[in-house]
Structures are given as C-alpha cells and as structure tokens.
C-alpha cells in the first residue's frame, strides 16, 4: 500500500502540468499495476508501445434519401446519429452532462485523478475497472468502439481491464493536446448512446421530444444526460421509473454544483420525465418509407455505384453510416396522383396486380412508381416491385406487353421511308407458316402460325391499323421492314427482356409483344417519342453529397438522339389516332392535351397494358395475374374488388393510366406535338390528327388463341 500511496501523491503533484509526457505517465502508473497483479515492466512496455495519437474514424451517421422537393423518402442507418456543433446544443444540456459525468471537466487535464485513482484503488484484484472516467476518457472509449471493425476489436474496446483503462489514459492525453475542452465535449455528445436506438444528442432530442438539441429544456436535458451512464437501464420509453430517478439525480447534482437554482430544480423535478405521445421513432430503411418500392429500387442503384465503395458490402455499409444526402427524381405530387389512381381502381386484396410508372420525356427522370399490392411479407403484401426488371432481389421481371410493341414497328417503318398512309389488306386471319422474316443475323420462320386479329379487319393505313390495333396489318408490316429494324429501335429506346436482361428475341410475333418488359421500361421508351427521338436512361438518383456537402459521383442525365425528330413526330401522329373517338384509347382522352398511346393485351389475357404520353409526361400501366399458375383475367380475377369483365388495355389498364395522368398533368403547361413532314404523312398531308384517325367505329373484343413456339396472338 505504501507504493500505491506514493503513486497517488506523485500523480497528484504532477497533475497540475497540462501536458503529461507519455513515458512519464507510464512510469507514475507502474506502482498501481501491482493492484491488478500485472508486472511493472509489462505495464511500462505496453504503455510505451501505444500510439501517441488517437486516430478516429468518422462516426456512423444516418443517410437521408430525399424526393425532388427535399421531402424525406427514407433514413438509412446502423446508428441513428445526426452530428451538430456545440453551438447547436442547448447550454443547459452541456451543463447537465458535465455535472453528472465529469463535474471538474473544465478544471482537470486528460483525466480526473481524484475520481480515477479512487476507482482504481477500490477495484477488485481481478483487474476489472469501474467508474472514474473523465469525459475525455469516455470519448476515447466511444471512439475506439466506433473504430472497431472486428469482434476482437470490439471486445478490446470494452474490456474491463487495467490494460484498457491505461490505454484510454494514454489516448486521453493525446486528445487533450489536440482538441479544446469544448471540442471534446461536442465530440462526446455526438458519439454517446442515448438509448432507444439513438446516438448523439441531436437524434436523441428529436426522438424523445421532437425538438432540436438547441431547444432542450432543463428537465429534458437532465433526462438525456442521465441516460448515457446506462442507455438501456435508463431508457425512458422502457424504464420510465428508473429514468425519472436518474433524471432527478442529475438535477440534484446540478443544484449542488450551483448550475441551477432551487426554483429551477423544483420546477424541473415536477415535470414529467417524458410524454410517450411525443416520442418520434426514426424509421429505418425502405420498408418504413412512404414509397418503399421506389426506395428499394434507388438503393439497388446506389449499391451498384463504385463511388460508394469497392464492394457491394462496402457500399451498403457506407450508405448506412456515411451521413449522405441522396436526392432523387421522385415528385411527391405526381406520385400522389399515381397512388390515387391505383387506390381508385384497385384494392390490395385483388387477386391481380396493378402498377404504373411515370417518366419525364427529355430527362429520363422517374417521377412516380406505384403498385396495388403493398410492401411487406404478410397476407396481400409483397416484396416484389412489379414496375422494374429482375436485376435485384425485389424486381419481378415484367410481363409480356402485347400490342404496345407495335409502336416500334411503326417507328422502323417510318425510318425506312414508309409513309403512315401505307395500306395493307388485313384479313381476320393470315397464314404465316414457314414465311421467312429477316433478323439482324439471318432469317427466322414458324412452321405453323396462323395469327388472327383481335379487333377489326379490312384495308387499313398505318394510322387506322394502330387505331384499331390490327394484328394482321402489323405482322405484314414487320415482314416488310424485317425484324431487325423494329428490334433495333426498341433496343435503342431501352427495351430488353426484363427477366433475362438480354435483348428481346427477334421472333415472327415480335410486333405483338411476346417479350417480358416493365412499366418503367415501356413508359421511358414511349417518353422517347414524346421527346422527339431523344432517349434518356431512366434516372432516379440525381445527386449524392457527403456530410460536408461535397458531391459524390453518380451517373447523371444520359440522353442521346436515337430517332430522327421527324420519325418520332410520325409515331406521335399515328399513336394520337389511338386516342381519337373509336380508337382503342378513345375513351381515355381528357382536357385539351395532345395525347398519344397504345393498348396492349397479351395472349389468354394474362396481362393488359396501356402506355401513353403527352410532350410533358409518359406513363405505362399494367394489370396482370402475377401468381402462378397464371390464368385468364376473366376467369375469377378481380380488380377493385370486382370481377374483371373487360380484360383489355383500354378497359382495364387504361383507366389507371388516365386517372394517374390527369392528376400528374394538373397545373402543367399545355404543350403540343410537332407535325411530321409531308413525306411521312403521304396522302394525309394537310389533314389534322383527328382527320387522319379514320371513321368513328368501336373496336371489337379480342379473339386470341395460344402461341406457337414463342409466337403470340397478342392484340389490343
């Protein structure tokens, strides 16, 4: 004990020196080592081997994903933390934590000798350490724990041994030499665990009281200051009695130190420890987002961004700990319009799914993404995103899109100089058995293929054939253009197989939509027509910034002219006829908007589509059976709780598209398509789009039959 007493007296005399040398500190603590049964030479060697400075990793900070208007889509975090400066923390909060954790923090140096040595002398001989740590030492401990990346490092950072305590002391000296007391306090308050999943005083203030740290009152500050000693034991949500007792202890300590008056203390003691109705849990992850499917798709794109790390695991970790601000293309107003449409026309309990995506032409900005089945793993819920490709765990992989593919045959024909008044005799059924169709690599044919029309038959121009979605017209047109041309157009407009992620198959029935595509893919392709041939890759993440506001590289707008403007203008004229009276989309028009679009109904009515656009926005809607074994939508399937009696693009998917677009376009400027040149119009030159639409007649119902060798009878 004499050696211990000499050590205490020596340390006390030397404590007035503001910067203690590491070697001297080691020597002075050697007598204390005997209390723990550790050899003096071992302790001295260990202390001399320690680094002279504490290297701290940036603390884990939550990331925010924001909509285009700055509203919150989701928080991503491993630790819910939002660092703030000391000037953003209420003075009463600073006083409270100093009073209860280290009342002489601003008077002593790297450690409080009176507290530390008293605790070390009283500790058990087995080497465990209890209490006595200064705020600087606690900051060191928190930093070492934050830096720990392996279980071994985590155990070392929290080990109840003298070795760990001496390590903290050495680091504490370095910290006090590098930072001011205010800087250390701020760092400590931003690292500390405040219980109930909150880290740092700002997140705690927002969570428990719905205020910023700068707005904390005395009883609120005392409660938070009391938590850090035992975040779970003093959690006011789960242990309100213990939390109150601890808060009152903090208030009594502040009163004893003269930090508050008797009147202030009494008023604070009477205040409730917490109002559970004000507790605001900070929901973590996309599952808790108001837009979970859109959010998950954004995250899937982010983890593919090499600027966020070298591996998927590193990027995922950085997303949840890097304090990033991620801005996206989602427009809450347009999203709400699409959601309203889905809610109006479907129910989560339906045994079909409905989905719609809205894209801005000329930018590729994905403005909205909605589906009828809610996110989750319960009954009538799903983790599948029906709007996107099968490129990540939640992507469903699309549906066959039927006659919406005819738009690409139209574009290919116009590119080849075929005017839109080009007439073809289109009988109810044609025999294409063995007829060779040119592909990009040769020719293809089907031995037995007699496709039928699903609507009207007769002599049609391209305009009228699109208006009535005449299968036999477009099959003959694609025989004339060859399959390579429309397949190339489709690929340039971002169309590919959403399940295999490979190019769409160049089969005889290509124009009838036998490949699996998604609402996102189709709406963005049609947006290219609206943008007069400018294709833009779909864009969801518009910017990423770090905690300091510095930009992090992310793919931005990527647009290029893939169709000549006059070709797109010709497509717009043809697809505008679809929206005229008697066209398959004639019952979906509204206002004075220039509208163009196309219906799609796949074989056996397993899925129905409507994709359409104005110069402002493009959208694609689908209603489908997404549960194996897939069956005809008329056979016991419901939408909006009602039996489906009109399983067509216009009758079932069309109303979803119309309601969504009505709301999305509300307040936008009225824009118009550009008239195509006369060489595209042919004999229709000089006529308005309504005049080119042909006679006012309603299309008939579908008359589909089974496909043959991936050939399809899809119709309008």
């Amino acid at each position: 004990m004499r050696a211990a007493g000499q050590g205490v007296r020596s340390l006390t005399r030397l404590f007035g020196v503001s910067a203690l040398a590491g070697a001297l500190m080691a020597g002075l603590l050697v007598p204390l080592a005997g209390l723990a049964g550790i050899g003096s030479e071992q302790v001295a060697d260990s202390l001399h081997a320690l680094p002279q400075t504490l290297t701290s990793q940036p603390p884990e900070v939550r990331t925010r994903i924001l909509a285009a208007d700055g509203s919150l889509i989701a928080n991503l975090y491993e630790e819910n933390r939002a660092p703030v400066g000391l000037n953003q923390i209420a003075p009463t909060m600073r006083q409270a934590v100093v009073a209860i954790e280290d009342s002489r923090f601003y008077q002593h140096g790297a450690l409080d000798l009176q507290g530390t040595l008293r605790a070390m002398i009283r500790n058990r001989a087995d080497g465990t350490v209890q209490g006595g740590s200064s705020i600087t030492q606690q900051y060191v401990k928190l930093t070492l724990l934050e830096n720990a990346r392996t279980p071994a490092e985590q155990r070392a950072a929290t080990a109840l041994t003298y070795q760990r305590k001496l390590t903290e002391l050495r680091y504490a000296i370095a910290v006090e030499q590098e930072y001011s007391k205010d800087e250390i306090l701020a760092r400590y308050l931003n690292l500390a665990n405040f219980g109930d999943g909150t880290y740092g005083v700002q997140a705690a203030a927002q969570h428990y009281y719905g205020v910023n740290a700068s707005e904390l009152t005395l009883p609120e500050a005392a409660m938070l200051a009391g938590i850090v000693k035992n975040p779970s034991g003093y959690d006011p949500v789960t242990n309100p009695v213990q939390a109150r007792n601890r808060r009152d202890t903090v208030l009594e300590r502040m009163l004893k130190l003269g930090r508050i008056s008797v009147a202030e203390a009494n008023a604070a003691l009477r205040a409730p420890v917490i109002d559970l109705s004000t507790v605001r849990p900070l929901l973590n992850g996309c599952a808790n987002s108001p837009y979970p499917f859109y959010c998950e798709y954004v995250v899937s794109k982010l983890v593919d961004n090499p600027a966020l790390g070298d591996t998927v695991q590193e990027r995922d970790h950085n997303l949840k700990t890097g304090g990033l601000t991620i801005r996206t293309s989602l427009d809450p107003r347009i999203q709400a319009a699409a959601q309203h449409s889905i809610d109006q026309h479907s129910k989560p309990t339906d045994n079909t799914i409905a989905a719609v995506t809205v894209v801005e032409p000329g930018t590729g900005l994905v403005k909205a993404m909605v589906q009828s089945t809610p996110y989750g793993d319960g009954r009538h819920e799903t983790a599948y995103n029906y709007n996107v490709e099968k490129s990540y765990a939640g992507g469903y992989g699309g549906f066959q899109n039927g006659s919406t593919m005819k738009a690409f045959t139209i574009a290919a024909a116009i590119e080849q100089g075929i005017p839109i008044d080009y007439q073809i005799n289109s009988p109810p059924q044609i025999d294409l058995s063995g007829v060779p169709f040119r592909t990009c690599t040769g020719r293809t044919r089907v031995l037995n293929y007699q496709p039928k029309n699903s609507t009207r038959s007769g002599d049609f121009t391209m305009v009228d054939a699109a208006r009535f979605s005449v299968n036999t017209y477009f099959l003959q047109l694609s025989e004339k253009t060859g399959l390579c041309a429309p397949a190339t157009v489709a690929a340039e407009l971002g169309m590919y197989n959403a399940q295999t992620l490979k190019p769409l198959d160049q089969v005889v029935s290509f124009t009838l939509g036998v490949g699996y595509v998604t609402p996102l893919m189709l709406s963005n392709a049609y947006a290219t027509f609206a943008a007069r041939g400018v294709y833009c890759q779909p864009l969801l993440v518009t910017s990423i910034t770090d905690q300091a506001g510095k930009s992090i590289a992310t793919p931005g707008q990527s647009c290029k002219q893939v169709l000549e403007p006059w070709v797109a203008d010709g497509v717009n004229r043809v697809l505008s006829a679809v929206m005229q009276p008697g066209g398959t989309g004639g019952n979906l028009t509204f206002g004075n908007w220039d509208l163009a679009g196309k219906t799609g109904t796949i074989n056996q009515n397993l899925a129905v589509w409507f994709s359409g656009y104005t110069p402002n926005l493009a959208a694609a809607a689908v209603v489908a059976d997404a549960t194996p074994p897939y069956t005809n939508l008329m056979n016991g399937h419901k939408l909006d709780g009602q039996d489906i009696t009109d399983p067509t693009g216009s009758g079932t998917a069309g109303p979803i598209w119309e309601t969504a677009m009505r709301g999305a376009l509300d307040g936008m400027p009225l824009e118009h398509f550009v008239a195509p040149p006369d060489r595209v119009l042919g004999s229709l030159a000089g006529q308005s789009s309504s005049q080119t639409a042909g006679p006012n007649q309603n299309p008939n119902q579908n008359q589909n039959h089974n496909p043959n060798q991936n050939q399809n009878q899809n119709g309008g």
Side-chain angles (χ1 to χ4, degrees), residues 247-527:
R247 181 205 65 176
D248 293 352
T249 299
V250 175
L251 291 169
E252 292 165 3
R253 180 64 174 164
M254 294 180 75
L255 177 63
K256 181 178 181 179
L257 293 172
R259 303 290 188 266
I260 57 175
S261 67
V262 173
E264 289 173 324
N266 287 334
L269 288 168
R270 289 193 297 270
V273 66
I274 196 170
D275 179 357
L276 291 179
S277 67
T278 67
V279 175
R280 300 191 311 180
L282 188 73
L283 301 178
N284 185 18
C286 291
N288 294 300
S289 168
Y291 321 115
F293 295 105
Y294 180 93
C295 179
E296 288 277 15
Y297 194 57
V298 165
V299 170
S300 76
K301 298 301 180 185
L302 290 168
V303 296
D304 282 341
N305 186 347
L308 297 178
D310 294 332
T311 66
V312 170
Q313 291 75 17
E314 185 178 345
R315 295 167 203 156
D316 181 70
H317 178 72
N318 288 340
L319 274 177
K320 297 173 182 175
T321 63
L324 309 177
T325 298
I326 298 161
R327 291 190 177 271
T328 70
S329 61
L330 185 139
D331 185 322
R333 187 189 66 81
I334 297 177
Q335 177 80 7
Q339 185 66 60
H340 170 70
S341 179
I342 288 291
D343 293 343
Q344 179 177 328
H345 296 290
S346 68
K347 286 181 169 58
T349 54
D350 293 334
N351 56 358
T352 55
I353 65 94
V356 61
T357 294
V358 184
V359 175
E360 183 177 77
T363 65
L365 295 173
V366 181
K367 294 292 188 176
M369 183 180 289
V370 182
Q371 65 185 53
S372 58
T373 309
Y375 186 94
D377 58 3
R379 182 176 171 82
H380 304 304
E381 295 179 333
T382 186
Y384 280 124
N385 186 338
Y386 295 113
N387 279 288
V388 301
E389 74 282 3
K390 200 172 185 176
S391 61
Y392 76 108
Y396 182 77
F399 306 90
Q400 291 181 316
N401 62 320
S403 291
T404 60
M405 282 301 293
K406 291 172 182 174
F408 307 104
T409 302
I410 294 168
I414 294 172
E415 266 191 331
Q416 293 181 3
I418 301 174
I420 63 175
D421 69 340
Y422 184 72
Q423 286 193 336
I424 301 176
N425 178 262
S426 308
Q429 184 173 11
I430 56 176
D431 187 358
L432 295 176
S433 303
V435 175
F437 279 63
R438 300 190 312 278
T439 68
C440 292
T441 57
R443 294 180 182 272
T444 188
R445 69 192 74 202
V446 181
L447 295 180
N448 183 21
Y449 188 43
Q450 297 93 29
K452 297 178 181 179
N453 285 330
S454 58
T455 55
R456 293 184 57 82
S457 305
D459 289 327
F460 292 109
T461 64
M462 195 184 305
V463 174
D464 285 338
R467 184 178 177 228
F468 298 126
S469 197
V470 181
N471 290 345
T472 58
Y473 178 96
F474 283 100
L475 285 163
Q476 293 177 87
L477 183 63
S478 62
E479 180 187 2
K480 181 177 180 63
T481 63
L483 297 175
C484 184
T488 299
V489 169
E492 288 176 338
L493 273 61
M495 299 287 287
Y496 55 88
N497 189 305
Q499 295 191 349
T500 66
L501 309 186
K502 295 180 179 180
L504 293 170
D505 293 332
Q506 294 179 36
V507 294
V508 172
S509 58
F510 178 89
T511 195
L512 301 185
V514 296
Y516 288 83
V517 303
T518 67
L520 172 58
M521 195 185 299
L522 191 58
S523 61
N524 195 54
Y526 274 38

Side-chain angles (χ1 to χ4, degrees), residues 201-241:
V201 66
Q202 172 72 356
Q206 292 174 334
H207 172 63
Y208 292 117
Y209 298 112
V211 300
N212 292 318
S214 61
E215 304 168 293
L216 288 167
T217 64
L218 173 59
E220 293 168 350
M223 195 279 286
L224 293 183
I227 291 177
V228 295
K229 181 179 181 180
N230 186 349
S232 59
Y234 297 133
D235 182 340
V237 174
T238 56
N239 298 306
V241 174

Side-chain angles (χ1 to χ4, degrees), residues 101-102 112 115-116 131-138 164-165 168:
E101 289 298 316
D102 186 0
D112 180 2
T116 299
S133 293
S134 69
I135 283 178
T136 303
Q137 290 172 267
Q138 291 183 55
R164 194 264 297 169
K165 177 63 68 175
E168 290 176 3

